[in-house]
Amino acid sequence: MSNMPIAPPPPPLSGWPAPSGSHAVLRSPVGLSKAVTGLLGLGIVVDLLALWQGNQSYELVGRLVRNVGSVSSQEIDQTDSLYRVCGILQVAATLATAVVFIVWFHRARVNAEVFAPEYHAKARGWAIWGWFVPVANLWFPRRVAIDIWNASADENTGSRALLNWWWALWVANLVFGRLASQRYANAGTPDEIKGAIAGLMASDVLNVLAGVLALLFVRRLTRMQHEKALRGPAF
């Protein structure tokens, strides 16, 4: 056997102790944040594609309403099919992003419990289930996010404006997007379809803005936690 000394295990992320009576363990959120921001970026691209295709459909239906030029059934079917594909891509991107985002969010919540266990008004499980409970999902995740932010912050962090604007746009799009989708599903006449497409396009704009702010929020909170973990607790 070799007489070379065995290298010691790598040091922990920081000297932060687990809260008394808690199983919270500090783990780096950096890797998960990269996955989340990548998926958020992909979602933004898909939303922009849907917005562009929605404009194509809006102009096509507008020609039908104004009776300007000829519109073939093949052109209508092709435009409608492309718009539906964009919708499917949006759903797929949203589901994938939601799964990874919630995993990241839960890890950030556990880390925040290590930093400051006294800051949390909601139990750790609400970082996951708060997104799925009807009505409560309009404010429970924000309450959890505020507690995470406060626990992860230092005196130089500044305001929570980024968090608040992201949440306001997310809720606005959640409500408005559902109404726009229902209106599009129930539209029958060209005038109704045109108005419904305009609503879906407005929802896409809100979704893009909310996605950009979500991406910035994830990056900011991850950086806050990473820097605080590296500094270690102040004794």
Side-chain angles (χ1 to χ4, degrees):
M1 295 179 62
S2 173
N3 293 323
M4 293 182 63
I6 299 175
L13 183 60
S14 76
W16 289 90
S20 178
S22 170
H23 297 291
V25 177
L26 192 66
R27 299 176 63 192
S28 174
V30 174
L32 277 173
S33 74
K34 291 179 180 178
V36 175
T37 54
L39 287 169
L40 284 167
L42 176 62
I44 291 169
V45 171
V46 172
D47 285 333
L48 291 173
L49 177 63
L51 187 60
W52 179 83
Q53 186 58 44
N55 184 62
Q56 300 297 109
S57 299
Y58 183 84
E59 291 181 353
L60 180 66
V61 177
R63 285 163 53 191
L64 286 172
V65 172
R66 298 190 307 270
N67 197 23
V68 176
S70 60
V71 179
S72 66
S73 59
Q74 181 179 1
E75 188 176 5
I76 294 173
D77 291 342
Q78 182 179 19
T79 302
D80 184 62
S81 296
L82 289 174
Y83 202 26
R84 291 182 184 277
V85 168
C86 288
I88 294 171
L89 292 176
Q90 284 180 299
V91 171
T94 298
L95 290 176
T97 303
V99 170
V100 182
F101 181 93
I102 291 174
V103 173
W104 167 84
F105 192 66
H106 184 263
R107 176 169 296 182
R109 169 60 179 80
V110 174
N111 287 345
E113 188 174 329
V114 176
F115 293 145
E118 72 278 8
Y119 276 24
H120 305 282
K122 302 294 181 186
R124 192 188 306 171
W126 285 110
I128 297 174
W129 301 113
W131 298 94
F132 301 101
V133 178
V135 182
N137 61 4
L138 298 178
W139 75 86
F140 270 39
R142 178 181 177 272
R143 178 67 261 175
V144 175
I146 289 174
D147 292 341
I148 295 172
W149 186 281
N150 290 339
S152 307
D154 57 30
E155 63 275 8
N156 300 316
T157 299
S159 71
R160 298 192 300 263
L162 176 60
L163 188 162
N164 292 332
W165 277 107
W166 157 61
W167 189 255
L169 283 174
W170 186 82
V171 171
N173 186 55
L174 183 68
V175 176
F176 185 80
R178 183 167 300 178
L179 294 174
S181 297
Q182 290 176 352
R183 183 182 178 188
Y184 182 75
N186 296 330
T189 68
D191 275 321
E192 291 175 344
I193 294 173
K194 184 181 179 183
I197 292 175
L200 289 177
M201 292 171 63
S203 175
D204 289 336
V205 171
L206 284 175
N207 212 30
V208 168
L209 295 175
V212 171
L213 291 182
L215 192 153
L216 295 175
F217 166 72
V218 170
R219 288 173 59 89
R220 178 81 173 276
L221 184 55
T222 298
R223 184 172 68 251
M224 288 164 54
Q225 290 204 339
H226 183 66
E227 291 175 353
K228 189 162 189 171
L230 292 178
R231 285 195 302 269
F235 295 108

